[in-house]
C-alpha cells in the first residue's frame, strides 16, 4: 500500500519568504502526483498536477517537482503572502482511480 | 456552474440511525468519489464510481453503501451509524486524466 508522508506538519514563515513543502512516498509506480490546498472548513482546491512522465509543473508563484526514483516531491512557494496560509496536501494516483493523500502541512504566513 | 455540491453541510446522528449524503456535480464527469477526512490520517477513499450504474470499493468501505443511479449524483449511505464514522466527508468528481474537483464537505457527528 502506498504511504505518503508530509514533513513538516506545520510551518510558520514571515511574509515574503520563499518556502519548500515536502512530500515523500513509498511506491514509485504512480500515474500522477497532485498538490492541493485546503482552507479551514473548506474542500480541496487543486494547485498543480504532475503526470508520471513529467519532472515539474509551474503555476504563478508555485512550482512542484517530482522525482520518482527517490520517492519525493516538493512544492516551492515564492514570495509567500498571508493569503497563502492554508493546509497543503499532496496526493498520488496509483491506478484504479485511487488517490493516496498525505496528512498535509499547515502553513501560516505572518504579515 | 456550481461544480460539486454536497448535502447536508452538517449532521448529528445517534448511534444506529441511518442517513444518506448526497453529492451532485454539473460538469458531466464520469468518475465520482467519496472520501472521509480524519485528524492525523489524511483523506481516505470510501467508494468510487467510474460511470452511471457502477460503484466500487475504496480503502475503507465497511459500514457504507453507495449508489450512482444518475450520472450527476453519487449517494453515500450509512445504514447504522457508529461513533467511528464521525468524520468530514468529501465528494469529488473527475474526467479523464484531469484533477479531481472536490465539494465543500459534510461534517458528521455520531453520538
Amino acid at each position: 500500500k502506498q504511504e505518503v508522508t508530509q514533513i513538516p506538519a506545520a510551518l510558520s514563515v514571515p511574509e515574503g519568504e520563499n518556502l519548500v513543502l515536502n512530500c515523500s512516498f513509498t511506491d514509485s509506480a504512480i500515474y500522477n502526483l497532485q498538490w492541493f490546498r485546503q482552507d479551514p472548513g473548506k474542500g480541496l482546491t487543486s494547485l498543480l498536477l504532475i503526470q508520471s512522465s513529467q519532472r515539474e509543473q509551474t503555476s504563478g508563484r508555485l512550482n512542484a517537482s517530482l522525482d520518482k526514483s527517490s520517492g519525493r516531491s516538493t512544492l516551492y512557494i515564492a514570495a509567500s503572502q498571508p493569503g497563502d496560509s492554508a493546509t497543503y496536501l499532496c496526493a498520488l494516483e496509483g491506478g484504479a482511480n485511487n488517490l493516496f493523500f498525505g496528512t498535509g502541512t499547515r502553513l501560516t504566513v505572518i504579515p | 456552474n456550481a461544480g460539486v455540491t454536497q448535502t447536508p453541510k452538517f449532521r448529528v446522528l445517534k448511534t444506529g440511525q441511518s442517513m444518506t449524503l448526497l453529492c451532485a456535480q454539473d460538469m458531466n464527469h464520469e468518475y465520482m468519489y467519496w472520501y472521509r477526512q480524519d485528524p492525523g490520517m489524511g483523506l481516505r477513499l470510501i467508494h468510487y464510481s467510474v460511470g452511471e450504474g457502477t460503484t466500487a470499493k475504496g480503502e475503507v468501505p465497511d459500514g457504507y453503501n453507495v449508489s450512482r443511479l444518475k450520472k450527476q449524483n453519487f449517494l453515500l449511505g450509512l445504514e447504522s451509524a457508529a461513533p467511528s464514522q464521525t468524520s468530514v466527508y468529501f465528494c469529488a468528481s473527475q474526467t479523464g486524466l484531469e484533477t479531481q474537483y472536490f465539494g465543500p464537505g459534510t461534517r458528521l457527528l455520531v453520538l
Side-chain angles (χ1 to χ4, degrees):
Chain A
K1 179 192 165 190
Q2 180 74 266
E3 301 284 342
V4 184
T5 304
Q6 291 186 248
I7 295 174
L11 179 65
S12 290
V13 300
E15 181 177 0
E17 264 201 15
N18 303 325
L19 60 102
V20 174
L21 306 180
N22 297 295
C23 173
S24 61
F25 49 95
T26 55
D27 187 349
S28 62
I30 63 173
Y31 282 94
N32 61 54
L33 182 144
Q34 301 182 53
W35 283 92
F36 291 89
R37 169 186 173 135
Q38 185 175 27
D39 293 286
K42 304 288 187 182
L44 281 68
T45 301
S46 178
L47 298 173
L48 291 164
L49 184 153
I50 310 176
Q51 298 291 352
S52 176
S53 59
Q54 298 174 322
R55 299 277 299 185
E56 66 177 343
Q57 280 286 341
T58 298
S59 176
R61 295 182 294 109
L62 306 180
N63 175 276
S65 68
L66 173 63
D67 184 346
K68 289 197 304 177
S69 63
S70 66
R72 294 179 187 275
S73 175
T74 61
L75 178 66
Y76 175 82
I77 302 177
S80 58
Q81 303 171 357
D84 295 331
S85 297
T87 296
Y88 291 81
L89 301 165
C90 75
L92 288 88
E93 184 164 358
N97 304 98
N98 198 351
L99 276 181
F100 291 95
F101 282 84
T103 53
T105 295
R106 188 173 69 253
L107 173 66
T108 303
V109 180
I110 304 165
Chain B
N1 190 335
V4 180
T5 58
Q6 293 183 232
T7 308
K9 290 184 172 57
F10 177 69
R11 184 76 182 269
V12 179
L13 288 179
K14 294 181 180 178
T15 296
Q17 287 185 319
S18 64
M19 78 164 294
T20 300
L21 283 66
L22 171 63
C23 176
Q25 54 95 3
D26 60 3
M27 296 174 283
N28 202 35
H29 285 173
E30 287 295 327
Y31 309 130
M32 296 188 74
Y33 309 84
W34 276 108
Y35 294 91
R36 60 178 290 174
Q37 185 176 36
D38 301 292
M41 299 197 69
L43 279 82
R44 292 178 293 169
L45 183 65
I46 304 171
H47 285 280
Y48 65 98
S49 169
V50 299
E52 182 178 325
T54 71
T55 62
K57 294 180 180 179
E59 183 184 353
V60 289
D62 294 342
Y64 305 96
N65 57 74
V66 288
S67 65
R68 182 101 181 266
L69 298 180
K70 294 182 179 180
K71 186 177 185 180
Q72 63 268 34
N73 296 338
F74 196 27
L75 279 64
L76 178 70
L78 286 73
E79 291 186 346
S80 179
S84 61
Q85 294 178 304
T86 293
S87 188
V88 181
Y89 292 85
F90 288 99
C91 175
S93 70
Q94 180 186 28
T95 186
L97 296 176
E98 293 184 7
T99 185
Q100 294 186 13
Y101 292 84
F102 282 78
T106 293
R107 294 182 180 275
L108 176 64
L109 175 61
V110 182
L111 302 175

